[in-house]
């Protein structure tokens, strides 16, 4: 029986990611609170995303937020359940950051977000599973991922085009970037929590890289698009 735990390099990656999230949170707070009250929604959402991630990364860097879980081969592996608590809250907020640009009905927004929540819950249960049923959770989670993508690229895209002006360009840029990046997560999961194929340190570095791209880079893109977003609020 082998015990697969994180190495020093993984913890360094967690601290670096914590620093980037915390710095972005401070910057986004200043940017948000200096805007007029009626133009703050994207600021609050994006600030919450990096704040929640900073908390999760602090916990993981401090050797918390994890459990040793046995897998079908009888090996034990560090499973960071803290990521799923983070994703449970931040992935719906990331989706709202772009969905709010489209003006689609609340019902459509709701099913996209609920499919996302189902995707994350299934991923957590799969990660904590000690047997091969983990792949059942994984398969259904992937199906819900496609429901989310469907929502972004059919009703979401239609709503964005209907808004006109600079909204479609901004929406397709952000949604395309998000969709491409999000495909990285199920790939890492399959190699890490799923099959125990890559090390816990490689897992930590891979998810950290994805999280920096999906939250820090994406967050700055949303925050710096503020003139476009504000303009769009003005005319509708
Ligand atoms: C899991 C495992 C099961 C299959 C699928 C997954 C998808 C996860 C995604 C996570 C996105 C996270 C983000 C975090 C914030 O930075 C749960 C890994 C499909 C898409 C964007």
């Amino acid at each position: 029986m082998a015990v697969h735990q994180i190495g020093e390099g993984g913890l360094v990656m967690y601290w670096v990611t914590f620093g980037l999230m915390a710095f972005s949170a401070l910057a986004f707070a200043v940017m948000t609170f200096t805007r007029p009250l009626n133009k703050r929604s994207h600021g609050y959402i994006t600030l919450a995303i990096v704040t929640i991630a900073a908390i999760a990364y602090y916990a993981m860097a401090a050797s918390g937020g994890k459990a040793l879980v046995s897998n079908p081969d009888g090996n034990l592996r560090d499973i960071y359940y803290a990521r799923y608590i983070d994703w449970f809250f931040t992935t719906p907020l990331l989706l709202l950051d772009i969905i709010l640009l489209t003006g689609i009905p609340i019902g459509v927004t709701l099913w996209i977000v609920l499919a996302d929540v189902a995707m994350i819950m299934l991923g957590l249960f799969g990660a904590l599973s000690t047997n091969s049923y983990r792949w059942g959770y994984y398969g259904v989670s992937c199906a819900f991922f496609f429901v989310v993508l469907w929502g972004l690229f059919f009703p979401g895209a239609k709503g964005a085009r209907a808004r006109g002006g600079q909204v479609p360009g901004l929406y397709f840029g952000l949604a395309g970037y998000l969709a491409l990046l999000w495909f990285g997560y199920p790939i890492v999961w399959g190699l890490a929590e799923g099959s125990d194929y890559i090390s816990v340190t490689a897992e930590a570095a891979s998810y950290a890289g994805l999280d920096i791209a999906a939250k820090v880079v994406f967050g700055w893109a949303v925050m710096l698009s503020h003139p476009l977003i504000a303009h769009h609020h003005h005319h509708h």
Side-chain angles (χ1 to χ4, degrees):
M1 184 195 79
V3 181
H4 297 148
Q5 290 184 284
I6 198 161
E8 201 55 51
L11 292 175
V12 171
M13 275 307 291
Y14 284 155
W15 282 119
V16 169
T17 311
F18 162 72
L20 289 170
M21 296 293 176
F23 169 77
S24 301
L26 287 175
F28 296 169
V30 172
M31 292 161 88
T32 302
F33 296 130
T34 52
R35 285 172 187 171
L37 278 174
N38 63 342
K39 296 200 174 69
R40 290 186 181 178
S41 52
H42 288 273
Y44 289 134
I45 291 171
T46 315
L47 170 58
I49 291 166
V50 288
T51 303
I52 292 167
I55 295 166
Y57 270 95
Y58 183 86
M60 296 191 290
S63 300
K66 63 176 176 169
L68 268 181
V69 176
S70 65
N71 61 39
D73 305 328
N75 295 325
L76 292 172
R77 182 184 177 95
D78 264 344
I79 297 296
Y80 283 91
Y81 57 79
R83 331 184 169 286
Y84 297 88
I85 301 174
D86 167 336
W87 298 347
F88 186 86
F89 294 102
T90 57
T91 54
L93 292 169
L94 286 162
L95 292 172
L96 280 182
D97 247 342
I98 59 172
I99 291 174
L100 288 181
L101 296 170
T102 67
I104 58 175
I106 183 72
V108 178
T109 306
L110 204 56
W111 68 248
I112 298 173
V113 166
L114 293 174
D116 173 86
V117 164
M119 173 186 85
I120 300 300
M121 278 187 69
L122 287 155
L124 172 62
F125 293 149
L128 295 176
S129 157
T130 57
N131 53 43
S132 296
Y133 285 101
R134 59 182 56 196
W135 297 107
Y137 293 107
Y138 182 78
V140 180
S141 179
C142 288
F144 277 111
F145 181 36
F146 283 98
V147 172
V148 172
L149 294 176
W150 179 277
L152 292 183
F153 289 101
F154 290 97
K158 196 175 163 211
R161 274 194 297 266
R163 289 242 134 158
Q166 294 179 297
V167 172
L170 182 59
Y171 180 79
F172 284 108
L174 291 172
Y177 177 73
L178 180 149
L180 207 65
L181 264 176
W182 284 29
F183 267 105
Y185 289 85
I187 294 170
V188 174
W189 195 100
L191 298 170
E193 289 103 322
S195 63
D196 197 27
Y197 181 75
I198 60 171
S199 70
V200 177
T201 298
E203 171 200 325
S206 308
Y207 279 136
L210 287 170
D211 284 350
I212 291 166
K215 292 196 174 93
V216 178
V217 177
F218 181 89
W220 279 96
V222 169
M223 293 303 286
L224 297 175
S225 311
H226 177 255
L228 287 180
I229 294 169
H231 178 78
H232 135 84
H233 281 313
H234 259 300
H235 294 269
H236 295 275

